[in-house]
Amino acid sequence: MFGVTVRHFTEADIPVRTALLRESRFQANLTDFAVVAEDDALAAGQRRTLEQEHAVKRIFTLCGPEDRIVGFAWITSIDWRSQSCELSFGVLPQYRGGFGAIAVAAAHEYLRTELNMRVVINQVLEHNTMLHSAEALAAEQRVRCPYDSYTVGEWRTSYYWSTTEDDIRRYRERTETRRREIAERIRARRAV
């Protein structure tokens, strides 16, 4: 679904994710811990997540056509009882324009259908417009948190919002309504 598949992160994916963690635009939009960490420490942290932290943190690999890795999604603050988690993601630079929004949608779908998550908490730094415009971010946010993160030598403001099953249902209804309206306009033009 969505043209992007989600699979469990494996040890073979660590070098690709490490390169993403070190990419400058990614660093400015999430965290800069990869700047100060050695390759071995970054790999060890990802291995630890795979081997020991599955109950509280998971990493997923987002794949496009021909199983090419287009990015990664990871969930933290997992509350299995409440069926909630916080979702983060990173799309490889060469796929941001083409697969970014599709990858995020696929991750949300996977969390709902495969992990039975009912509430997903989203966080985006205010200046991060890689997948959202500044206007869309401001409209989406429910909580604005100044001084939330310190990245690339600067305090950053974050926006937080939740996505629930009702939100997804309403989004799908709006999308379907919009699709029908466009189809009707096309049919009306052809009839003339």
Side-chain angles (χ1 to χ4, degrees):
M1 184 175 207
F2 300 108
V4 171
T5 57
V6 179
R7 67 170 169 78
H8 286 279
F9 183 77
T10 67
E11 194 163 336
D13 298 327
I14 289 174
V16 178
R17 187 165 182 263
T18 297
L20 175 63
L21 293 173
R22 293 203 186 282
E23 192 250 335
S24 62
R25 225 166 142 212
F26 178 86
Q27 296 264 323
N29 288 307
L30 190 61
T31 180
D32 57 3
F33 72 91
V35 170
V36 296
E38 299 290 331
D39 284 345
D40 291 345
L42 281 176
Q46 293 172 85
R47 267 192 225 90
R48 188 172 41 258
T49 297
L50 282 170
E51 297 166 1
Q52 301 168 15
E53 300 174 331
H54 227 217
V56 295
K57 180 171 36 171
R58 293 192 184 186
I59 305 173
F60 303 97
T61 303
L62 306 170
C63 299
E66 301 172 12
D67 292 324
R68 280 179 295 173
I69 296 173
V70 299
F72 301 94
W74 52 101
I75 56 175
T76 55
S77 305
I78 301 171
D79 184 337
W80 294 105
R81 188 174 301 224
S82 296
Q83 297 172 293
S84 66
C85 64
E86 184 174 325
L87 172 64
S88 299
F89 54 87
V91 176
L92 299 175
Q94 64 269 34
Y95 297 115
R96 286 185 185 140
F99 286 101
I102 297 167
V104 173
H108 273 275
E109 180 74 12
Y110 183 87
L111 293 177
R112 278 191 317 285
T113 60
E114 298 297 323
L115 297 183
N116 207 27
M117 292 293 163
R118 299 297 171 236
V119 177
V120 176
I121 307 299
N122 304 278
Q123 176 214 19
V124 176
L125 297 182
E126 184 176 52
H127 72 283
N128 182 349
T129 56
M130 287 195 298
L131 295 176
H132 302 274
S133 69
E135 296 79 23
L137 269 179
E140 189 71 60
Q141 60 96 12
R142 304 293 189 282
V143 174
R144 184 175 182 271
C145 186
Y147 305 105
D148 181 73
S149 301
Y150 188 78
T151 63
V152 195
E154 213 175 300
W155 281 103
R156 309 291 185 156
T157 297
S158 288
Y159 290 139
Y160 287 90
W161 69 95
S162 63
T163 303
T164 66
E165 288 183 51
D166 286 342
D167 295 327
I168 298 300
R169 180 186 47 75
R170 284 191 296 273
Y171 173 79
R172 287 183 177 159
E173 287 170 358
R174 284 192 311 268
T175 302
E176 182 58 27
T177 298
R178 178 82 175 123
R179 189 196 64 73
R180 279 194 306 270
E181 290 170 353
I182 292 169
E184 287 299 320
R185 282 199 310 265
I186 292 169
R187 280 193 280 279
R189 282 187 205 150
R190 287 185 179 168
V192 174

